[in-house]
């Protein structure tokens, strides 16, 4: 069943949602000598994929990686590869 805007507003405003999903850490992509980490806050997603592209303007999809759900609704993916400067987006699946 698709959630309606009012349902979502009530959900996001609830104490239960805040207790389970409040997150004030880092999000985005981070590169260092160990590799590259990607972090996305998507607490209502059932599955998330990181999609990497050749370039940012009609670039060819190079890779699609399923992300791992962590605590507080944060999804993560890590690779030892240095992906600094690469283009990416996310695909989310939700019931």
């Amino acid at each position: 069943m698709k959630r309606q805007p009012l349902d979502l507003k009530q959900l996001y405003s609830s104490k239960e949602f805040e207790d389970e999903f409040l997150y004030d850490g880092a999000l985005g992509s981070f590169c260092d000598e160990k590799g590259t980490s990607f972090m996305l806050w998507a607490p209502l997603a059932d599955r998330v994929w990181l999609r990497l592209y050749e370039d940012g303007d009609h670039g060819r999809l190079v890779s699609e990686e399923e992300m791992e759900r962590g605590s507080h609704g944060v999804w993560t993916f890590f690779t030892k590869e240095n992906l600094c400067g690469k283009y990416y987006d996310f695909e989310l699946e939700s019931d």
Side-chain angles (χ1 to χ4, degrees), residues 19-91:
D19 290 345
E20 187 171 354
F21 297 119
L22 182 65
Y23 179 77
D24 64 354
L27 296 170
S29 64
F30 307 93
C31 302
D32 63 22
E33 65 280 349
K34 295 177 186 172
T36 308
S37 298
F38 295 86
M39 300 177 72
L40 173 72
W41 186 75
L44 300 182
D46 295 314
R47 294 176 74 187
V48 176
W49 293 267
L50 168 69
R51 302 183 323 171
L52 299 165
Y53 295 91
E54 242 176 43
D55 61 52
D57 187 27
H58 308 295
R60 180 180 63 84
L61 181 65
V62 174
S63 176
E64 189 171 59
E65 308 293 340
E66 189 161 2
M67 298 181 76
E68 182 177 321
R69 184 185 188 109
S71 61
H72 305 287
V74 176
W75 294 79
T76 62
F77 176 79
F78 174 78
T79 180
K80 290 182 179 180
E81 192 175 349
N82 182 341
L83 298 176
C84 189
K86 298 292 181 186
Y87 294 89
Y88 67 92
D89 67 10
F90 303 100
E91 181 176 337

